[in-house]
Amino acid sequence: MPEPGYYGQFGGSFIPEILVATFEELVQAFEQAKADPEFWNTYLKLMGSYSCRPTPLTYAENLTRHFGGARIYIKREDLNHTGAHKANNVMGQGLLVKRMGKGRVIAETGAGQHGVATATMAAKFGFDCTIYMGEIDVQRQRPNVFWMERLGATVIPVTEGTRTLKDAINEAFRDWVSAMDDTHYVLGTACGPHPFPEMVTWFQSIIGLEARRQVLEETGQLPARIYACVGGGSNAMGIFSGFLDDDVELVGVEAGGRGLETGAHAARLASSDASLGVAQGYKTFFLQDDDGQMKETHSVAAGLDYVGVSPILSHLKETGRVRFSAATDTEVVDALSLTIRKEGLIPALESAHGFVQAFKEAPTLSHDDVIIINQSGRGDKDIFTVADAFEDPGWKQFIRDKAKEYDAR
Amino acid sequence: MPEPGYYGQFGGSFIPEILVATFEELVQAFEQAKADPEFWNTYLKLMGSYSCRPTPLTYAENLTRHFGGARIYIKREDLNHTGAHKANNVMGQGLLVKRMGKGRVIAETGAGQHGVATATMAAKFGFDCTIYMGEIDVQRQRPNVFWMERLGATVIPVTEGTRTLKDAINEAFRDWVSAMDDTHYVLGTACGPHPFPEMVTWFQSIIGLEARRQVLEETGQLPARIYACVGGGSNAMGIFSGFLDDDVELVGVEAGGRGLETGAHAARLASSDASLGVAQGYKTFFLQDDDGQMKETHSVAAGLDYVGVSPILSHLKETGRVRFSAATDTEVVDALSLTIRKEGLIPALESAHGFVQAFKEAPTLSHDDVIIINQSGRGDKDIFTVADAFEDPGWKQFIRDKAKEYDAR
Amino acid sequence: MLAETLRAKQREREILLMTHIVMGYPSFDDSLRVVEAMVEAGVEIMELQIPFSEPIADGPVILHANQRSLQAGSSVERCLAFGEEVAKRFDIPFLLMSYYNILFKYGVDAFAKRMAEAGLVGAIVPDLPPEEADEYLAAMAAHDLAPVFILSPSTTDERMARITRVTKGLVYCVARKGVTGQDTSFSDDLDSYLARCRAATDLPLALGFGVKDRADVDFLRGRADLAVIGTQTIRVVEEQGVEGVKPFIEGLRPPLSA
Amino acid sequence: MLAETLRAKQREREILLMTHIVMGYPSFDDSLRVVEAMVEAGVEIMELQIPFSEPIADGPVILHANQRSLQAGSSVERCLAFGEEVAKRFDIPFLLMSYYNILFKYGVDAFAKRMAEAGLVGAIVPDLPPEEADEYLAAMAAHDLAPVFILSPSTTDERMARITRVTKGLVYCVARKGVTGQDTSFSDDLDSYLARCRAATDLPLALGFGVKDRADVDFLRGRADLAVIGTQTIRVVEEQGVEGVKPFIEGLRPPLSA
Ligand SMILES: Cc1ncc(COP(=O)(O)O)c(C=O)c1O
Ligand SMILES: Cc1ncc(COP(=O)(O)O)c(C=O)c1O
């Protein structure tokens, strides 16, 4: 009988003593919410009226024809309010915060997506909101900083460490240990100490529940395979949740960055570069050196650029239930480009990782097979990154002209 | 008995002889589609599986409390695929193009929203696509140009005239008269020669049909008033359509720009600056000089910055069925700001015009009353404009740094 | 009346020339000198275009001329005065050409009255199909002016009949799809199209869109009654100045004495 | 054993001092000189922190020291060697402090063995609650080392009992919410919290987080057994150099002879 919060040897709750009481309160609130069918109904209602759930399952007819194999369906988390599956998690945690009677939320953010989602939830629920974001990400992802500030959140640039996502997480924990009485830390993915992996997965399972119903309705059959990108693992766990007990192959796709052989990647489960460790409150595979110090990671997709991974996914890898692969930056931009042109869909760079692997495998399957790709978010938020990836000269000129305009005033 | 295509004295079809046959074909295809219930079902199915329809009707609890009058509901067209109600129109016309067996679409665009929507539809349906866009708009709205190009469309900058929306329309007509055999012109709003006003309204009426059902379900009553911004008039006609026969006050809000008294606005129906005229193929109120030459218009919202207006709305103004007002740029930025902070919603600058008027009137109504604002699109597409409107220093620095980075390479 | 005038001129010339200018481009002085040169070069009839901010049926060259004329400050009144001046000064018929809004804003009847007073003989309004033209037709009739309508290759026989029924003076046949100022391939298709036009009306047929040189005009001889030279003269003025106009026009047909 | 050592020292001094350094910050040479100065100034016990890339329980000053030490190339092995060196050279007990991953990656038992060989007496691992500590407790016991656990004001009495049951040597009581390096208000609340800690265990109580000057130490006299000076000595070194350490520490308590 595994301890609560453990998935095989992964997970746990490695937290400073000062937070233990807070976590106990959170675990309790979460357990009560899970046991209360009204809570899930309230959650469904909120997501249906504030976001756009159920999100559609779109048949990608042109891509299907292009690859000439399996019929490709796309689960459209990009159509959520704020543009990604992150909305599911934050709105769920928002309801829990209300239940706990707290008035302030904090969050880490890398790409800015989870920060915007949290700031949005905070505006909607009337919470104070502080977002921690690595200084480098603040610089790279200014548009999201702008929106977070408009939404009333305080964005604090984190200047220590690698100045990216993992350091923002550390900083959020530091805030939390100082202010846990009235503050809830809205962790953005299925990582961190118990109950976060389970709780975030629970809220995200709305994706898989919908997708299962939809694919049966639409095609009368279960999919052969499901593809999802894996940063922390929340969108993947979200869609996988609906199919764990089915005869459906689940494929997680990590950031291959410049190639697994270069070391400049964020593949914790698809490469042999990661090893078991304990950091940021939980035990999982980390990209770390022999001393246990965390390494720098790389991905064209800021949201996948993280050293750890959901302990639940580590476990599902170990049991063989989920297969993992990696997509390189170049493959990602190509898959993105093809998807935009063939279907008029703009996946986020993160999501495009799932598309890469699906495109590799679709031709090897039969037209009788159905596959689902989880489009976790929309890519138009990434224009600065995508335009750079495409080396678009018109865009560069536009930015130069805009800078001149600002200088002139 | 009015002639087809006329709404009172407004509308008609003032087109070059060379296009008459093309319009006859279009009218016929449209009439057949309207008469065929399968067509509308196909349309609903497409919008449900590719976009996110029905879009939610969100109760704006915080704004309601803030203003202390009518209960404010928001129809969430921002959650459409591509981020605005424009999707409804283009996907509908796309189905019609397929029915007519044509292989190429063209469109005008101002803000770029309709261009992106059309390019998206073209990618999805496999049509060739050319988008005409005023040179000034190409410069201002580069992000949208970037996406249109990624979607496979050719974007042609229009260098004549005011180099904005109306000139792009003229240029699209010029293309069409050269290539109508295989080309359909996807006009972006409820303007232009018959059947466009009626046809675009028909596709957009999906908004009103949904909203009526939703508000009754949610509140058990009809709204007292409905607010929608008016550029060409398509989103307004879309939502109004569902309530024309009801005892519901309909309010259209035009661009007041720098103030009606300054002349720098785009208020055709809410000001006395416009007069009846015939241009771009139809008869309506235009902002024109005494000679009949069109004037330059101004709005912070590119999508409202247009000289003409739907002939159907001109008629509904004349009959008194719809009331019109204008919102200034400053009021719009304030309403946007408040809405972001209170509800976590980011209306497009265009849509925010509707919010301005609703906010003025909500406190004068009772809590027993319900009002609906049509949030025609999302504002995160407008970051360059919004950041400028807010004079955000962090944003400016970001752009300067980005420009330096490009110069350095 | 206009039709008879043209028929009379056709006794001297098998194919007549109708030329086109945008009034006020590049200036009213230049416009006057261009008209003068054209009349001297033997042009039989002219279209004077009042510039409009939204000329949807015109191609880039004429569009540009419209814009520049407006930017230089030309007004409808100034254009009408110009029309009056040339109509009094030169002994050929002048048609006005503009988009419907110019007439509509002026007041259609007032506009026709003013045209008649100015000595202009008719008008071409490319965005006004007969279906929308009741008021215009009444006004033109009341002031004895020729409403010139347009036929296109995609116009059905039935519609040709309907259009020519309300047309006076001449019928303007556009040679092809597209806007003004593009090349037209003068081919068999054109032949059969013109035959259809001929069958629809006894009025002189003016063929426009893309006529640019002597070969084109030669091709039209015996097929149309008038060749319309629009964009090409604007190009000539832009490239060679007003001086280029007369030689260009004269070169389009063999000399009269020949 | 450690507990007895401390109790023995308490016969001379009512309140003991435990100080903290991040090994390798700003350099191992400086670290050595700081230890030397502290020992000379009469510190009774020291925490030696092995830097970690993700020190979630530390505030900005110690966080920064962790980062700089790592950037300067300090390794776990080098830190252990440093621990060994000072343990041999100076006659006070030394505890290691680090995050659990450092031990975990090394191998928890191997780490404990190495500590014991180095002459270190115990460890503080702030992100390792007793619930997750089975392996660690076994290794520490096997090598006769003191596992020092932490209590906080939000720890319930029940949980205090559970934690102190597995703790050896001393109990580390954090004074308040928050991370290291912030001000603590030494007040009645603290009083009742320390009374609860005292009730839970016979072990010496070390109070940490925010102790920064003589007034704070005076306040703790009679309430806690050890005052922990963490962030403040790093600040002193940063502001006054290693020279500042000895006078600072000496100033925290009245001289022994007094
Ligand atoms: C669109 C999108 N997809 C995926 C991710 C990765 O997170 P996760 O693995 O938790 O789904 C992110 C993170 O920012 C994201 O923004
Ligand atoms: C979001 C949005 N709303 C409104 C409009 C105005 O168009 P219409 O009046 O046709 O709805 C536009 C036009 O681009 C738009 O993008």
Side-chain angles (χ1 to χ4, degrees):
Chain A
M1 169 81 200
E3 285 187 62
Y6 267 91
Y7 315 93
Q9 60 174 319
F10 308 99
S13 182
F14 296 81
I15 49 173
E17 178 59 26
I18 189 83
L19 278 178
V20 167
T22 307
F23 270 89
E24 273 170 7
E25 181 195 1
L26 180 60
V27 168
Q28 201 176 26
F30 172 53
E31 293 300 336
Q32 283 170 0
K34 261 199 312 185
D36 174 4
E38 247 336 284
F39 184 86
W40 187 258
N41 283 341
T42 308
Y43 173 62
L44 288 184
K45 183 138 189 281
L46 177 65
M47 295 313 287
S49 73
Y50 186 65
S51 191
C52 207
R53 304 215 70 96
T55 58
L57 183 72
T58 303
Y59 178 43
E61 194 177 342
N62 302 327
L63 286 171
T64 297
R65 201 177 313 111
H66 181 76
F67 288 109
R71 281 170 290 153
I72 303 173
Y73 282 80
I74 298 175
K75 180 62 174 164
R76 300 291 302 286
E77 293 303 300
D78 59 305
L79 289 172
N80 268 300
H81 183 49
T82 75
H85 70 293
K86 299 283 174 189
N88 305 327
N89 175 33
V90 295
M91 297 311 295
Q93 291 199 40
L95 287 175
L96 214 56
V97 174
K98 244 175 79 174
R99 213 177 157 100
M100 293 188 290
K102 295 187 171 184
R104 177 173 177 262
V105 291
I106 59 175
E108 86 292 349
T109 196
Q113 198 62 25
H114 176 59
V116 170
T118 304
T120 299
M121 176 274 276
K124 166 86 178 158
F125 283 106
F127 303 142
D128 285 339
C129 180
T130 300
I131 304 291
Y132 292 94
M133 189 168 184
E135 193 180 35
I136 291 182
D137 291 329
V138 168
Q139 282 156 18
R140 287 193 289 204
Q141 312 283 346
R142 190 79 220 176
N144 283 330
V145 175
F146 177 80
W147 292 120
M148 286 184 258
E149 289 178 348
R150 295 284 83 70
L151 286 157
T154 305
V155 180
I156 301 190
V158 177
T159 56
E160 290 293 342
T162 54
R163 293 175 291 150
T164 59
L165 179 58
K166 73 173 180 56
D167 308 283
I169 294 179
N170 294 337
E171 214 48 46
F173 272 114
R174 283 186 195 105
D175 180 316
W176 208 15
V177 297
S178 314
M180 62 278 194
D181 294 345
D182 189 45
T183 297
H184 174 69
Y185 175 15
V186 184
L187 217 150
T189 188
C191 289
H194 180 68
F196 282 111
E198 183 188 339
M199 184 168 76
V200 176
T201 296
W202 189 55
F203 289 127
Q204 295 292 3
S205 71
I206 195 171
I207 306 174
L209 292 174
E210 287 177 7
R212 191 172 192 285
R213 183 168 41 70
Q214 289 168 324
V215 74
L216 286 174
E217 248 171 53
E218 184 73 24
T219 70
Q221 71 191 79
L222 283 170
R225 299 181 190 170
I226 297 178
Y227 301 85
C229 68
V230 177
S234 69
N235 88 84
M237 280 310 304
I239 192 159
F240 293 169
S241 291
F243 301 87
L244 281 174
D245 300 333
D246 296 315
D247 182 20
V248 172
E249 194 173 357
L250 308 173
V251 186
V253 188
E254 294 183 301
R258 304 208 174 87
L260 294 188
E261 67 292 353
T262 65
H265 62 76
R268 294 111 337 159
L269 299 176
S271 80
S272 52
D273 291 358
S275 59
L276 198 56
V278 176
Q280 306 203 310
Y282 67 114
K283 187 188 284 183
T284 195
F285 281 102
F286 286 98
L287 287 164
Q288 53 184 332
D289 68 17
D290 291 340
D291 266 5
Q293 311 293 357
M294 298 301 139
K295 286 193 192 166
E296 287 212 28
T297 52
H298 166 80
S299 171
V300 69
L304 303 188
D305 205 349
Y306 176 56
V307 290
V309 66
S310 176
I312 313 184
L313 284 176
S314 287
H315 177 57
L316 292 173
K317 157 152 180 153
E318 213 166 59
T319 63
R321 181 67 191 89
V322 178
R323 169 159 63 89
F324 289 88
S325 66
T328 65
D329 292 353
T330 318
E331 289 172 330
V332 161
V333 171
D334 289 348
L336 176 60
S337 202
L338 187 74
T339 306
I340 298 177
R341 231 165 233 255
K342 288 276 168 199
E343 299 291 347
L345 303 179
I346 307 185
L349 285 165
E350 289 81 6
S351 322
H353 285 70
F355 286 69
V356 168
Q357 192 61 26
F359 291 172
K360 287 183 190 164
E361 301 182 13
T364 69
L365 297 172
S366 123
H367 196 68
D368 292 337
D369 291 322
V370 163
I371 62 177
I372 299 179
I373 310 172
N374 197 26
Q375 182 170 338
S376 54
R378 60 175 150 87
D380 56 348
K381 68 177 176 59
D382 296 328
I383 184 155
F384 283 91
T385 328
V386 176
D388 285 354
F390 282 98
E391 290 273 339
D392 189 71
W395 172 258
K396 290 184 184 174
Q397 195 49 48
F398 166 67
I399 294 298
R400 283 195 199 99
D401 291 346
K402 203 77 199 158
K404 268 186 221 131
E405 184 190 322
Y406 291 149
D407 284 338
R409 282 200 228 137
Chain B
M1 170 82 201
E3 287 187 63
Y6 267 91
Y7 315 92
Q9 59 174 319
F10 309 99
S13 183
F14 296 81
I15 49 174
E17 179 59 26
I18 190 82
L19 278 179
V20 167
T22 307
F23 269 89
E24 275 169 5
E25 182 196 0
L26 179 60
V27 169
Q28 201 177 25
F30 172 54
E31 293 300 336
Q32 283 169 0
K34 261 200 311 186
D36 174 5
E38 248 334 286
F39 184 87
W40 188 257
N41 282 342
T42 308
Y43 173 64
L44 287 185
K45 182 138 190 280
L46 177 66
M47 295 313 288
S49 73
Y50 186 66
S51 192
C52 207
R53 304 214 71 95
T55 58
L57 183 72
T58 303
Y59 178 43
E61 195 177 342
N62 302 327
L63 286 170
T64 297
R65 202 177 312 113
H66 182 76
F67 289 109
R71 280 170 291 153
I72 303 174
Y73 282 80
I74 298 176
K75 179 64 174 162
R76 300 290 302 286
E77 293 303 301
D78 60 304
L79 289 173
N80 267 300
H81 183 48
T82 76
H85 71 294
K86 300 282 176 190
N88 306 326
N89 175 33
V90 295
M91 297 310 296
Q93 291 200 41
L95 287 175
L96 214 56
V97 174
K98 243 174 81 173
R99 213 178 158 99
M100 293 189 290
K102 295 187 170 184
R104 177 173 178 261
V105 291
I106 59 175
E108 86 291 349
T109 197
Q113 198 64 26
H114 175 58
V116 169
T118 304
T120 299
M121 175 274 276
K124 165 88 178 158
F125 283 107
F127 302 142
D128 285 339
C129 179
T130 300
I131 304 292
Y132 292 94
M133 189 168 184
E135 192 180 35
I136 291 181
D137 291 328
V138 168
Q139 282 156 17
R140 287 193 291 204
Q141 311 284 346
R142 189 81 220 175
N144 283 330
V145 175
F146 176 80
W147 293 120
M148 286 184 258
E149 290 179 348
R150 294 284 84 71
L151 286 157
T154 305
V155 179
I156 301 189
V158 177
T159 56
E160 290 292 343
T162 54
R163 294 175 291 153
T164 58
L165 179 57
K166 73 174 180 56
D167 309 282
I169 295 180
N170 294 337
E171 214 49 44
F173 271 114
R174 285 187 194 104
D175 180 316
W176 207 15
V177 297
S178 314
M180 60 280 193
D181 295 345
D182 188 44
T183 298
H184 174 69
Y185 175 15
V186 184
L187 218 149
T189 188
C191 289
H194 180 68
F196 283 111
E198 184 189 340
M199 185 168 76
V200 175
T201 296
W202 189 55
F203 289 127
Q204 294 292 4
S205 71
I206 195 170
I207 305 174
L209 292 175
E210 287 176 7
R212 191 171 193 284
R213 183 167 42 71
Q214 290 167 325
V215 76
L216 286 174
E217 248 170 53
E218 183 73 24
T219 70
Q221 71 190 78
L222 283 171
R225 299 182 190 169
I226 297 178
Y227 301 84
C229 68
V230 178
S234 69
N235 88 83
M237 279 311 305
I239 192 158
F240 292 170
S241 291
F243 301 88
L244 281 174
D245 300 332
D246 297 316
D247 181 20
V248 172
E249 194 174 358
L250 307 173
V251 186
V253 188
E254 295 183 301
R258 304 207 176 88
L260 294 189
E261 68 291 354
T262 66
H265 62 75
R268 293 104 347 150
L269 299 176
S271 81
S272 53
D273 291 359
S275 60
L276 198 56
V278 176
Q280 306 202 309
Y282 68 113
K283 187 188 282 182
T284 194
F285 281 102
F286 286 99
L287 287 163
Q288 53 183 333
D289 68 17
D290 292 341
D291 267 5
Q293 312 292 358
M294 298 301 139
K295 286 193 193 166
E296 288 212 28
T297 52
H298 166 81
S299 170
V300 68
L304 303 187
D305 204 351
Y306 175 56
V307 290
V309 66
S310 177
I312 312 184
L313 284 176
S314 287
H315 177 59
L316 292 172
K317 156 150 181 156
E318 214 166 59
T319 63
R321 182 67 191 89
V322 178
R323 170 160 63 87
F324 290 88
S325 67
T328 65
D329 293 352
T330 318
E331 288 173 331
V332 161
V333 172
D334 289 348
L336 177 59
S337 201
L338 187 74
T339 306
I340 298 178
R341 230 164 235 256
K342 288 276 168 199
E343 298 291 346
L345 302 179
I346 308 184
L349 285 164
E350 288 81 5
S351 321
H353 285 70
F355 286 69
V356 168
Q357 193 60 27
F359 292 172
K360 286 183 190 164
E361 301 182 13
T364 70
L365 297 172
S366 122
H367 195 68
D368 292 338
D369 291 321
V370 163
I371 63 177
I372 299 179
I373 310 172
N374 197 26
Q375 182 170 337
S376 54
R378 60 176 149 88
D380 56 349
K381 68 176 176 61
D382 297 329
I383 184 155
F384 284 90
T385 327
V386 176
D388 285 355
F390 281 99
E391 291 272 340
D392 188 71
W395 172 259
K396 289 184 185 174
Q397 194 49 48
F398 166 66
I399 294 297
R400 283 197 199 98
D401 293 346
K402 202 78 199 158
K404 268 187 220 129
E405 183 189 323
Y406 291 150
D407 284 338
R409 282 200 230 140
Chain C
M1 223 195 68
L2 173 58
E4 285 85 76
T5 311
L6 296 174
R7 288 287 178 228
K9 295 200 185 198
Q10 268 191 303
R11 267 165 242 138
E12 283 163 50
R13 292 276 208 189
E14 202 181 338
I15 182 122
L16 308 181
L17 293 184
M18 176 156 88
T19 56
H20 167 277
I21 63 160
V22 175
M23 290 184 276
Y25 176 76
S27 68
F28 280 97
D29 280 355
D30 284 324
S31 293
L32 185 60
R33 290 167 58 216
V34 170
V35 173
E36 194 167 27
M38 285 177 171
V39 175
E40 281 176 15
V43 155
E44 281 85 5
I45 175 170
M46 280 191 72
E47 284 179 73
L48 307 173
Q49 181 165 359
I50 304 179
F52 180 48
S53 56
E54 323 299 320
I56 54 171
D58 283 300
V61 173
I62 296 181
L63 165 62
H64 183 83
N66 272 262
Q67 301 288 351
R68 291 301 161 282
S69 173
L70 287 173
Q71 276 169 6
S74 74
S75 67
V76 172
E77 205 42 65
R78 180 77 187 78
C79 290
L80 287 167
F82 180 89
E84 183 159 19
E85 184 180 351
V86 297
K88 300 228 155 109
R89 196 144 140 195
F90 302 105
D91 188 26
I92 62 165
F94 289 93
L95 298 171
L96 278 190
M97 185 266 180
S98 197
Y99 288 81
Y100 186 53
N101 201 45
I102 298 298
L103 287 69
F104 183 79
K105 262 307 257 190
Y106 198 97
V108 176
D109 190 72
F111 192 90
K113 180 155 176 277
R114 179 78 178 81
M115 274 179 67
E117 286 165 7
L120 302 161
V121 301
I124 304 175
V125 185
D127 65 342
L128 188 68
E131 291 82 354
E132 303 281 3
D134 289 354
E135 188 183 0
Y136 169 73
L137 286 172
M140 295 297 273
H143 299 283
D144 234 354
L145 296 163
V148 174
F149 284 89
I150 295 170
L151 301 180
S152 88
S154 63
T155 310
T156 58
D157 290 348
E158 194 188 327
R159 188 170 166 82
M160 279 192 181
R162 177 172 178 190
I163 293 173
T164 53
R165 207 174 306 132
V166 295
T167 302
K168 298 244 148 57
L170 63 88
V171 176
Y172 192 116
C173 308
V174 304
R176 52 158 172 75
K177 297 179 281 185
V179 288
T180 54
Q182 297 163 324
D183 273 1
T184 297
S185 71
F186 290 87
S187 62
D188 287 355
D189 279 359
L190 191 60
D191 235 22
S192 72
Y193 161 54
L194 282 172
R196 288 206 298 126
C197 296
R198 188 68 82 195
T201 181
D202 292 332
L203 291 172
L205 302 182
L207 187 110
F209 281 39
V211 184
K212 60 180 185 315
D213 58 20
R214 175 128 174 204
D216 295 348
V217 176
D218 283 347
F219 177 90
L220 293 178
R221 196 184 312 262
R223 290 176 166 100
D225 303 300
L226 299 96
V228 182
I229 321 288
T231 303
Q232 196 57 27
T233 39
I234 297 189
R235 286 209 188 98
V236 166
V237 175
E238 285 174 352
E239 284 161 19
Q240 307 169 30
V242 179
E243 299 67 40
V245 173
K246 203 171 160 206
F248 167 68
I249 300 287
E250 286 176 342
L252 291 174
R253 292 182 295 194
L256 244 196
S257 50
Chain D
M1 224 196 71
L2 173 57
E4 285 85 76
T5 311
L6 297 173
R7 288 286 178 229
K9 295 198 187 200
Q10 269 192 301
R11 268 164 243 140
E12 285 163 50
R13 291 275 207 190
E14 203 182 338
I15 183 126
L16 308 181
L17 294 183
M18 175 156 89
T19 56
H20 167 278
I21 64 160
V22 175
M23 289 183 276
Y25 175 76
S27 67
F28 280 97
D29 280 354
D30 284 325
S31 292
L32 185 61
R33 290 167 59 214
V34 171
V35 173
E36 194 168 26
M38 285 176 170
V39 174
E40 283 175 16
V43 156
E44 280 84 6
I45 175 170
M46 280 192 72
E47 283 180 73
L48 307 173
Q49 180 166 359
I50 304 179
F52 180 48
S53 55
E54 323 300 319
I56 55 172
D58 283 299
V61 173
I62 295 181
L63 165 63
H64 182 82
N66 272 262
Q67 302 287 351
R68 291 301 161 282
S69 174
L70 287 174
Q71 276 168 7
S74 75
S75 65
V76 173
E77 206 41 65
R78 180 78 186 79
C79 290
L80 288 167
F82 180 89
E84 183 159 18
E85 184 182 350
V86 296
K88 301 225 153 109
R89 197 144 138 195
F90 303 105
D91 188 27
I92 63 165
F94 289 93
L95 297 172
L96 277 191
M97 185 266 179
S98 196
Y99 289 81
Y100 186 53
N101 201 46
I102 297 298
L103 287 69
F104 183 80
K105 263 306 258 191
Y106 197 96
V108 176
D109 190 72
F111 193 90
K113 181 156 177 275
R114 180 78 179 82
M115 276 179 66
E117 286 165 8
L120 302 161
V121 301
I124 303 176
V125 186
D127 65 342
L128 187 69
E131 291 81 355
E132 303 281 3
D134 290 353
E135 188 184 359
Y136 169 74
L137 286 172
M140 295 297 273
H143 299 283
D144 234 355
L145 296 163
V148 174
F149 284 89
I150 295 171
L151 301 180
S152 89
S154 62
T155 309
T156 58
D157 290 349
E158 195 189 327
R159 189 172 165 82
M160 278 192 182
R162 179 172 176 188
I163 293 173
T164 52
R165 207 173 307 132
V166 295
T167 302
K168 299 241 148 55
L170 62 90
V171 175
Y172 193 117
C173 309
V174 305
R176 51 158 172 76
K177 296 181 282 184
V179 288
T180 54
Q182 296 163 326
D183 273 2
T184 298
S185 71
F186 291 87
S187 63
D188 287 354
D189 279 358
L190 191 61
D191 235 22
S192 71
Y193 160 55
L194 281 172
R196 288 206 298 125
C197 296
R198 188 68 81 195
T201 181
D202 293 332
L203 290 172
L205 301 183
L207 187 110
F209 280 41
V211 183
K212 61 182 184 312
D213 56 22
R214 174 128 176 204
D216 294 346
V217 177
D218 282 346
F219 177 90
L220 291 178
R221 196 183 312 261
R223 292 178 166 97
D225 303 301
L226 300 95
V228 183
I229 320 289
T231 303
Q232 195 57 28
T233 40
I234 297 189
R235 286 209 188 98
V236 167
V237 175
E238 283 172 354
E239 284 161 20
Q240 308 169 29
V242 178
E243 298 66 42
V245 172
K246 204 173 159 208
F248 166 68
I249 300 287
E250 287 174 343
L252 291 173
R253 292 183 296 194
L256 242 197
S257 50

